Amino acid sequence: MIEVGGNSSANSIYEAYIPEGYTKPGPNASNDERRKFIKSKYELQEFLKASLRITSGKDSSSSSTQSNISGKILDTILTNSTQKEGMVEFIGLLKVKVVKGTNLAVRDMMTSDPYVVLTLGKQTVQSTVISSNLNPVWNEELMLSVPSNYGPVKL
């Protein structure tokens, strides 16, 4: 976020092509309105200049996983924001690519079912569980929204 000039600069990029007549949700907007806007802005990149859109090049099952992860992030954001006064201001997205594990420790008697959990503040995202594997390969991208007052990311 610092590299792109902060939240205002990022918004000028991610919200550059908001359709005329479309209203950005305000502090009193419903969770559904905010969910739709966040998904349109970040996941679908609908308001971004077409040449700047990021595509993963993954197969449909991976994009389904990505949609599920994005949905969990949105649920976390919206759940947390309703527990506080007003909206939580986020300064960006943190994307972490979980690639693989090598020679992981055995957690049960003979095997392990590894997964990765990332936590930032009250948000938590988890990778897919890989059954019975001490050398798992995920190749998944996990995302967390970065609030204006953030602490360490826990793995």
Side-chain angles (χ1 to χ4, degrees), residues 57-86:
K58 296 178 182 177
D59 63 24
S60 60
S61 64
S62 295
S63 56
S64 172
T65 301
Q66 180 62 39
S67 295
N68 290 340
I69 293 168
S70 298
K72 289 178 186 176
I73 294 168
L74 288 171
D75 289 343
T76 302
I77 292 168
L78 296 172
T79 299
N80 289 342
S81 68
T82 58
Q83 295 171 350
K84 298 178 180 179
E85 290 184 22

Tab-separated table of all heavy atoms in Angstrom, residues 57-86:
chain	number	residue	atom	x	y	z
A	57	GLY	N	-4.930	-17.362	-14.049
A	57	GLY	CA	-4.562	-18.405	-14.995
A	57	GLY	C	-4.773	-19.805	-14.444
A	57	GLY	O	-4.248	-20.769	-14.949
A	58	LYS	N	-5.518	-19.922	-13.353
A	58	LYS	CA	-5.759	-21.224	-12.730
A	58	LYS	C	-6.973	-21.880	-13.358
A	58	LYS	O	-7.786	-21.234	-14.008
A	58	LYS	CB	-6.004	-21.039	-11.225
A	58	LYS	CG	-4.792	-20.501	-10.506
A	58	LYS	CD	-5.114	-20.309	-9.040
A	58	LYS	CE	-3.937	-19.716	-8.297
A	58	LYS	NZ	-4.241	-19.448	-6.917
A	59	ASP	N	-7.111	-23.189	-13.105
A	59	ASP	CA	-8.276	-23.890	-13.617
A	59	ASP	C	-9.508	-23.532	-12.801
A	59	ASP	O	-9.433	-22.855	-11.794
A	59	ASP	CB	-8.040	-25.412	-13.646
A	59	ASP	CG	-7.808	-26.003	-12.256
A	59	ASP	OD1	-8.251	-25.396	-11.268
A	59	ASP	OD2	-7.203	-27.077	-12.173
A	60	SER	N	-10.675	-23.996	-13.254
A	60	SER	CA	-11.930	-23.593	-12.622
A	60	SER	C	-12.047	-24.068	-11.183
A	60	SER	O	-12.653	-23.403	-10.362
A	60	SER	CB	-13.117	-24.106	-13.440
A	60	SER	OG	-13.081	-25.525	-13.511
A	61	SER	N	-11.449	-25.214	-10.831
A	61	SER	CA	-11.541	-25.682	-9.447
A	61	SER	C	-10.748	-24.766	-8.530
A	61	SER	O	-11.144	-24.503	-7.410
A	61	SER	CB	-11.042	-27.117	-9.318
A	61	SER	OG	-9.670	-27.203	-9.645
A	62	SER	N	-9.620	-24.233	-9.005
A	62	SER	CA	-8.833	-23.302	-8.204
A	62	SER	C	-9.568	-21.987	-8.038
A	62	SER	O	-9.542	-21.393	-6.978
A	62	SER	CB	-7.471	-23.042	-8.848
A	62	SER	OG	-6.709	-24.220	-8.847
A	63	SER	N	-10.233	-21.516	-9.094
A	63	SER	CA	-10.948	-20.258	-8.963
A	63	SER	C	-12.152	-20.430	-8.056
A	63	SER	O	-12.546	-19.500	-7.370
A	63	SER	CB	-11.343	-19.695	-10.323
A	63	SER	OG	-12.091	-20.620	-11.053
A	64	SER	N	-12.715	-21.636	-8.000
A	64	SER	CA	-13.792	-21.913	-7.067
A	64	SER	C	-13.269	-21.839	-5.640
A	64	SER	O	-13.900	-21.261	-4.758
A	64	SER	CB	-14.383	-23.292	-7.343
A	64	SER	OG	-15.286	-23.642	-6.343
A	65	THR	N	-12.072	-22.413	-5.410
A	65	THR	CA	-11.436	-22.328	-4.093
A	65	THR	C	-11.180	-20.877	-3.740
A	65	THR	O	-11.433	-20.436	-2.632
A	65	THR	CB	-10.108	-23.117	-4.081
A	65	THR	OG1	-10.398	-24.470	-4.397
A	65	THR	CG2	-9.424	-23.028	-2.737
A	66	GLN	N	-10.676	-20.102	-4.725
A	66	GLN	CA	-10.390	-18.687	-4.497
A	66	GLN	C	-11.661	-17.941	-4.125
A	66	GLN	O	-11.661	-17.119	-3.232
A	66	GLN	CB	-9.758	-18.075	-5.756
A	66	GLN	CG	-9.419	-16.606	-5.607
A	66	GLN	CD	-8.402	-16.366	-4.512
A	66	GLN	OE1	-7.473	-17.122	-4.329
A	66	GLN	NE2	-8.599	-15.325	-3.762
A	67	SER	N	-12.782	-18.240	-4.818
A	67	SER	CA	-14.043	-17.586	-4.504
A	67	SER	C	-14.483	-17.924	-3.091
A	67	SER	O	-14.988	-17.066	-2.378
A	67	SER	CB	-15.121	-18.005	-5.496
A	67	SER	OG	-14.797	-17.538	-6.775
A	68	ASN	N	-14.306	-19.189	-2.674
A	68	ASN	CA	-14.667	-19.583	-1.320
A	68	ASN	C	-13.822	-18.840	-0.299
A	68	ASN	O	-14.320	-18.384	0.723
A	68	ASN	CB	-14.496	-21.092	-1.131
A	68	ASN	CG	-15.530	-21.882	-1.889
A	68	ASN	OD1	-16.576	-21.350	-2.253
A	68	ASN	ND2	-15.236	-23.136	-2.154
A	69	ILE	N	-12.524	-18.722	-0.572
A	69	ILE	CA	-11.632	-17.994	0.338
A	69	ILE	C	-12.040	-16.529	0.399
A	69	ILE	O	-12.141	-15.943	1.467
A	69	ILE	CB	-10.168	-18.153	-0.093
A	69	ILE	CG1	-9.722	-19.603	0.096
A	69	ILE	CG2	-9.255	-17.204	0.675
A	69	ILE	CD1	-8.398	-19.948	-0.551
A	70	SER	N	-12.300	-15.925	-0.770
A	70	SER	CA	-12.719	-14.526	-0.807
A	70	SER	C	-14.019	-14.333	-0.031
A	70	SER	O	-14.188	-13.351	0.673
A	70	SER	CB	-12.901	-14.056	-2.246
A	70	SER	OG	-11.687	-14.130	-2.931
A	71	GLY	N	-14.928	-15.298	-0.173
A	71	GLY	CA	-16.188	-15.219	0.566
A	71	GLY	C	-15.968	-15.247	2.066
A	71	GLY	O	-16.614	-14.526	2.815
A	72	LYS	N	-15.032	-16.085	2.521
A	72	LYS	CA	-14.723	-16.160	3.945
A	72	LYS	C	-14.130	-14.839	4.431
A	72	LYS	O	-14.443	-14.374	5.519
A	72	LYS	CB	-13.742	-17.301	4.224
A	72	LYS	CG	-14.359	-18.673	4.081
A	72	LYS	CD	-13.340	-19.763	4.312
A	72	LYS	CE	-13.919	-21.127	4.034
A	72	LYS	NZ	-12.933	-22.188	4.148
A	73	ILE	N	-13.280	-14.242	3.612
A	73	ILE	CA	-12.691	-12.951	3.981
A	73	ILE	C	-13.781	-11.906	4.109
A	73	ILE	O	-13.836	-11.162	5.087
A	73	ILE	CB	-11.645	-12.502	2.938
A	73	ILE	CG1	-10.447	-13.444	2.943
A	73	ILE	CG2	-11.195	-11.066	3.201
A	73	ILE	CD1	-9.530	-13.255	1.769
A	74	LEU	N	-14.674	-11.848	3.125
A	74	LEU	CA	-15.766	-10.878	3.181
A	74	LEU	C	-16.637	-11.104	4.407
A	74	LEU	O	-17.035	-10.154	5.079
A	74	LEU	CB	-16.614	-10.966	1.912
A	74	LEU	CG	-15.960	-10.428	0.648
A	74	LEU	CD1	-16.810	-10.768	-0.572
A	74	LEU	CD2	-15.726	-8.949	0.748
A	75	ASP	N	-16.941	-12.371	4.717
A	75	ASP	CA	-17.736	-12.669	5.909
A	75	ASP	C	-17.037	-12.162	7.165
A	75	ASP	O	-17.657	-11.585	8.042
A	75	ASP	CB	-17.987	-14.175	6.042
A	75	ASP	CG	-18.967	-14.700	5.004
A	75	ASP	OD1	-19.693	-13.867	4.407
A	75	ASP	OD2	-18.995	-15.916	4.786
A	76	THR	N	-15.716	-12.373	7.242
A	76	THR	CA	-14.946	-11.920	8.397
A	76	THR	C	-14.982	-10.403	8.508
A	76	THR	O	-15.225	-9.850	9.569
A	76	THR	CB	-13.484	-12.396	8.302
A	76	THR	OG1	-13.494	-13.818	8.223
A	76	THR	CG2	-12.673	-11.960	9.506
A	77	ILE	N	-14.755	-9.715	7.387
A	77	ILE	CA	-14.760	-8.246	7.390
A	77	ILE	C	-16.102	-7.731	7.852
A	77	ILE	O	-16.193	-6.871	8.717
A	77	ILE	CB	-14.459	-7.702	5.977
A	77	ILE	CG1	-13.022	-8.010	5.581
A	77	ILE	CG2	-14.718	-6.201	5.902
A	77	ILE	CD1	-12.741	-7.775	4.110
A	78	LEU	N	-17.165	-8.253	7.250
A	78	LEU	CA	-18.495	-7.739	7.546
A	78	LEU	C	-18.947	-8.105	8.946
A	78	LEU	O	-19.596	-7.312	9.616
A	78	LEU	CB	-19.483	-8.232	6.489
A	78	LEU	CG	-19.176	-7.698	5.080
A	78	LEU	CD1	-20.070	-8.373	4.055
A	78	LEU	CD2	-19.314	-6.199	5.014
A	79	THR	N	-18.596	-9.275	9.441
A	79	THR	CA	-18.934	-9.660	10.808
A	79	THR	C	-18.224	-8.754	11.796
A	79	THR	O	-18.824	-8.234	12.729
A	79	THR	CB	-18.539	-11.130	11.076
A	79	THR	OG1	-19.264	-11.954	10.167
A	79	THR	CG2	-18.878	-11.534	12.496
A	80	ASN	N	-16.926	-8.535	11.583
A	80	ASN	CA	-16.159	-7.691	12.496
A	80	ASN	C	-16.624	-6.247	12.450
A	80	ASN	O	-16.663	-5.572	13.464
A	80	ASN	CB	-14.667	-7.754	12.170
A	80	ASN	CG	-14.075	-9.097	12.535
A	80	ASN	OD1	-14.648	-9.845	13.311
A	80	ASN	ND2	-12.929	-9.395	11.962
A	81	SER	N	-16.993	-5.744	11.269
A	81	SER	CA	-17.369	-4.339	11.171
A	81	SER	C	-18.702	-4.065	11.846
A	81	SER	O	-18.951	-2.959	12.286
A	81	SER	CB	-17.405	-3.885	9.711
A	81	SER	OG	-18.452	-4.517	9.019
A	82	THR	N	-19.575	-5.084	11.973
A	82	THR	CA	-20.847	-4.858	12.639
A	82	THR	C	-20.696	-4.890	14.155
A	82	THR	O	-21.566	-4.429	14.863
A	82	THR	CB	-21.897	-5.915	12.219
A	82	THR	OG1	-21.390	-7.211	12.524
A	82	THR	CG2	-22.221	-5.805	10.747
A	83	GLN	N	-19.566	-5.397	14.647
A	83	GLN	CA	-19.354	-5.464	16.081
A	83	GLN	C	-18.726	-4.178	16.618
A	83	GLN	O	-18.570	-4.020	17.807
A	83	GLN	CB	-18.449	-6.647	16.416
A	83	GLN	CG	-19.090	-7.979	16.091
A	83	GLN	CD	-18.106	-9.120	16.211
A	83	GLN	OE1	-16.908	-8.934	16.357
A	83	GLN	NE2	-18.614	-10.333	16.143
A	84	LYS	N	-18.352	-3.272	15.744
A	84	LYS	CA	-17.709	-2.037	16.147
A	84	LYS	C	-18.590	-0.877	15.732
A	84	LYS	O	-19.471	-1.010	14.898
A	84	LYS	CB	-16.343	-1.901	15.462
A	84	LYS	CG	-15.384	-3.007	15.833
A	84	LYS	CD	-14.086	-2.835	15.097
A	84	LYS	CE	-13.139	-3.960	15.477
A	84	LYS	NZ	-11.876	-3.863	14.783
A	85	GLU	N	-18.314	0.298	16.280
A	85	GLU	CA	-19.041	1.480	15.851
A	85	GLU	C	-18.501	1.922	14.508
A	85	GLU	O	-17.303	2.067	14.322
A	85	GLU	CB	-18.870	2.604	16.880
A	85	GLU	CG	-19.592	2.329	18.177
A	85	GLU	CD	-19.487	3.488	19.124
A	85	GLU	OE1	-19.232	4.614	18.667
A	85	GLU	OE2	-19.669	3.264	20.321
A	86	GLY	N	-19.390	2.136	13.537
A	86	GLY	CA	-18.962	2.574	12.216
A	86	GLY	C	-18.243	1.482	11.460
A	86	GLY	O	-18.198	0.338	11.865
